[in-house]
Every structure is written in C-alpha cells, then in structure tokens.
Amino acid sequence: MISKILVPTDGSETARKSVKYAADLAKKTKAAIILLSVVDKSTLTTIAIPASITPSRVTEPVEDYLRLATETYIKNAEKQCKSKGIKAKKVIRSGHVVEEIIKEAKKSKADLTVIGSQGKSAIKSAVLGSITFGVISKSTKFPVLVIR
C-alpha cells in the first residue's frame, strides 16, 4: 500500500508532470505527498548574482538566488497538489541532488518516489536524466516511478 509519496521537483516541465501524476495517485490511494526541492551545491560558485537580475534588485550570493528559485518551484508544486485536494509537506535541502533525494526517501520512509526525467543528460544516461539515473542506480532499496 502506498501511504507516502516523495516527489523531487526542480521546476522543469517533467517535474511538473511528475507532481501532477503523484497528486492524482495520492488522491486515489489517500497517500500523503512530500515535495522535495534541492539547492544543488555542486553548481555553486563564489560569485554573486548581479542586482539587475535579482527580484530584490540587490546583489545576492548565488546560493540565496538558487534558494529563492527553489522556494518558487516548491510553492508551484504545492499549488498543483492543492488543486487536486491534496496537502503536501514541503522540504528544501542543500547539497548533492541525488544524495539528498535518497536521504529524504529514507528519512520520510516514502513508499514511492515519483520523479521526472528529461533524458537529455550525459551519455551514461542516454535514456534517463542524470539525476533520475543517479537515484535509481545508487543501490536504492525503494520503489521509483519515472515520469517521462
């Protein structure tokens, strides 16, 4: 039985599809949804984002800018769930995306992880996106449903 569904989201089209699918599934199974968004520390540098492109019009560190974007993604995913009558718990983490998804799946004891895949990344993941490939290939012991 599915009682908790973890849905990692990065705001992409495939992530929005996975949120929609998970919300529909949660409605049918009466499962709870955990929305996860990760600020990818591997892409951070010490530069700052110019004030002209930040919402606050103030120079911001890259991590702050990415955290704001992450909060926006997860709020939009929450709205998607609410439109289906599903309440969702929001979790934002910083770190390596694959590792954080696996950690949250274990911590929350999710019965299923629903993740989108664009399939546009590295050669080793010619069919799946690199994050999705990482999640399903890291000797994970939990079910993962991939949404294309």
Side-chain angles (χ1 to χ4, degrees), residues 119-146:
K120 295 180 182 176
S121 299
I123 294 172
K124 71 178 182 181
S125 55
V127 178
L128 299 174
S130 61
I131 300 298
T132 304
F133 182 83
V135 169
I136 64 174
S137 68
K138 290 282 186 179
S139 62
T140 52
K141 302 209 187 309
F142 52 85
V144 179
L145 175 62
V146 179

Side-chain angles (χ1 to χ4, degrees), residues 2 5 20-30 112 114:
I2 299 172
I5 303 171
K20 180 187 180 310
Y21 190 94
D24 288 341
L25 183 60
K27 190 168 187 163
K28 291 175 185 171
T29 62
K30 296 181 174 56
L112 177 66
V114 177

Side-chain angles (χ1 to χ4, degrees), residues 13-60:
E13 181 61 33
T14 54
R16 287 191 296 275
K17 286 180 184 177
S18 66
V19 171
K20 180 187 180 310
Y21 190 94
D24 288 341
L25 183 60
K27 190 168 187 163
K28 291 175 185 171
T29 62
K30 296 181 174 56
I33 287 188
I34 303 150
L35 298 169
L36 172 67
S37 201
V38 180
V39 175
D40 187 356
K41 289 259 188 179
S42 67
T43 62
L44 297 181
T45 63
T46 57
I47 63 170
I49 301 296
S52 62
I53 65 169
T54 65
S56 61
R57 299 293 184 224
V58 177
T59 301
E60 295 180 12

